[in-house]
Amino acid sequence: MPSQAGVTRQQVQASNSRIDAESYPRTAVFVGGTSGIGEAVIQGLAAVGKGKWPARIYIVGRQESAERVNESLERVRAEHPGLDLIWTPGDVSLLADVQRICLELKEKEKSLDLLWLSAGYAPIGGREETKEGLIISQSLGHYSRILFIQHLLPLLKASPTQGRVVSVLAAGEESANVILDDLNLEKPGNFTWYKCLYHTLTMHSVTMEQLAEDNKNATFIHAAPGLVDTGNLNRGWRGRWVFQLVMTIVLTPLYLLRAITIEESRDRMLYLVTSAKYGGHGVPLGEGVPPGLTTRGEKTGGLFLVNNNCATIANEKVFAKLRKEAKGRIVAKTTEVLQPYMPSTES
């Protein structure tokens, strides 16, 4: 399957300028919208909408972020009074909290146009677990995201514009070398921060692929934003200040040399949220922009892996290997972990 050409920033901006009442998400949930790319996309949606189209956005984040986030939200509310921004506190590394938040959302809403998932960090500082026994970064990057999707799928499928899931992690970097008998890296010697990263994103992609193929009336995107300076280099250290100091001095200058601006990232992520390139009732494609292809090479009905240039990618060789044996075991493990928190059969 040939690789797609990227979408230029000019093409992205042209598409974003054509967002209209049909392609603008009227109800959205942002898990990871308290800072960085998620916060920038919320501000971008507010600027595009300009109060023309009433909308509700739920912003989910930790209680300790409430004061800072609400100050930011108040500024957006003042500039865009037609936008209803609803702060929703919760620790989304905890599956019980994800379940609680989703039950509250389902009481308030009957449909959902957009589910944005971007909470997470790299566990460079070592293994840290939640009180539920999961690696924090793996819970944030995979388990809690899939639980949000599972709970909110009925609302996404009820969207008149075909509800869209955008999970921002590291699409295209999946690995076929996952440890199938220890997917949560619990056995002695199996955990390293790098193994944790590729286990998390690989498990997330193949589970999203299965969900996308089982739920063809919703859109599923796993995106790689590329290098964006969001402060993530300073997270995940858990008090290991010596390592943090050394790595920050060495890595930060190199990182910033290659990173794109938060403004460009905002524009590209707003494109993911609204463009018909990835299916649904999005902004029609501009001249020279081909439709995106799923991991199966189809135009609809599957998972779109999207790189930092907004092109869809296949990672075909790795996915072919994963589907033979690993995919079934990964989906089974994910289901096992999430089962106590899953929506009831009546919902």
Side-chain angles (χ1 to χ4, degrees):
M1 189 185 305
S3 298
Q4 281 198 325
V7 183
T8 68
R9 191 175 183 188
Q10 290 73 26
Q11 290 170 321
V12 164
Q13 291 172 329
S15 178
N16 291 348
S17 71
R18 292 185 284 115
I19 295 171
D20 59 13
E22 185 177 9
S23 54
Y24 189 80
R26 303 303 185 90
T27 56
V29 173
F30 274 72
V31 183
T34 60
S35 63
I37 298 171
E39 182 181 37
V41 173
I42 292 171
Q43 293 170 351
L45 283 171
V48 166
K50 297 179 180 177
K52 294 180 291 186
W53 309 304
R56 279 186 308 284
I57 299 178
Y58 295 86
I59 299 95
V60 180
R62 294 172 296 169
Q63 183 59 50
E64 52 264 42
S65 302
E67 183 176 355
R68 180 187 61 79
V69 174
N70 275 306
E71 288 179 359
S72 174
L73 296 181
E74 281 301 323
R75 290 193 292 270
V76 178
R77 290 186 187 105
E79 294 175 6
H80 307 283
L83 188 60
D84 189 9
L85 300 171
I86 304 167
W87 168 246
T88 306
D91 182 350
V92 297
S93 71
L94 298 176
L95 302 180
D97 239 18
V98 173
Q99 180 187 41
R100 173 189 62 79
I101 292 164
C102 288
L103 291 174
E104 292 175 2
L105 289 170
K106 287 188 284 188
E107 285 291 319
K108 297 174 180 178
E109 298 295 338
K110 300 302 180 186
S111 68
L112 181 64
D113 298 331
L114 171 65
L115 174 59
W116 169 279
L117 303 161
S118 62
Y121 69 91
I124 300 173
R127 186 188 188 99
E128 295 284 344
E129 294 187 354
T130 71
K131 63 183 180 183
E132 294 169 341
L134 297 173
I135 301 169
I136 295 174
S137 60
Q138 190 177 34
S139 183
L140 288 170
H142 174 55
Y143 286 116
S144 77
R145 296 187 189 206
I146 296 300
L147 189 58
F148 268 109
I149 296 170
Q150 292 277 29
H151 268 280
L152 299 179
L153 258 174
L155 275 63
L156 289 159
K157 292 194 285 188
S159 167
T161 60
Q162 186 166 328
R164 187 169 298 208
V165 178
V166 178
S167 188
V168 181
L169 193 60
E173 299 297 328
E174 297 80 11
S175 171
N177 297 320
V178 290
I179 305 172
L180 291 178
D181 63 351
D182 189 23
L183 289 167
N184 288 355
L185 302 174
E186 296 168 314
K187 295 179 181 179
N190 276 350
F191 176 89
T192 66
W193 72 268
Y194 181 71
K195 283 182 184 177
C196 185
L197 283 180
Y198 76 71
H199 265 231
T200 297
L201 72 94
T202 302
M203 292 174 71
H204 193 53
S205 282
V206 298
T207 306
M208 281 192 74
E209 182 185 66
Q210 188 64 56
L211 285 169
E213 291 170 357
D214 290 343
N215 300 276
K216 296 183 185 294
N217 47 353
T219 298
F220 293 79
I221 299 170
H222 177 186
L227 295 179
V228 186
D229 183 22
T230 62
N232 262 358
L233 282 180
N234 294 318
R235 299 187 65 195
W237 294 97
R238 302 292 175 182
R240 295 167 176 85
W241 65 270
V242 174
F243 294 101
Q244 180 177 3
L245 179 63
V246 172
M247 294 296 283
T248 299
I249 291 172
V250 173
L251 286 183
T252 297
L254 297 174
Y255 183 92
L256 293 177
L257 279 173
R258 299 185 60 192
I260 64 172
T261 65
I262 192 70
E263 290 79 15
E264 179 172 353
S265 181
R266 174 202 62 209
D267 291 347
R268 289 188 174 277
M269 291 297 151
L270 192 57
Y271 181 82
L272 293 189
V273 166
T274 58
S275 173
K277 184 175 178 69
Y278 316 105
H281 299 278
V283 177
L285 297 181
E287 185 178 352
V289 179
L293 298 177
T294 70
T295 51
R296 302 276 190 179
E298 304 292 336
K299 294 180 182 179
T300 60
L303 173 65
F304 295 94
L305 293 180
V306 183
N307 70 12
N308 60 311
N309 289 320
C310 299
T312 54
I313 50 180
N315 204 2
E316 192 170 11
K317 291 181 180 179
V318 170
F319 266 81
K321 292 178 181 178
L322 289 168
R323 291 184 189 116
K324 287 182 179 179
E325 180 183 3
K327 182 176 180 178
R329 294 179 68 173
I330 288 169
V331 172
K333 180 64 176 179
T334 301
T335 301
E336 173 195 327
V337 170
L338 298 184
Q339 190 59 51
Y341 312 97
M342 290 281 277
S344 66
T345 54
E346 291 81 14
S347 63

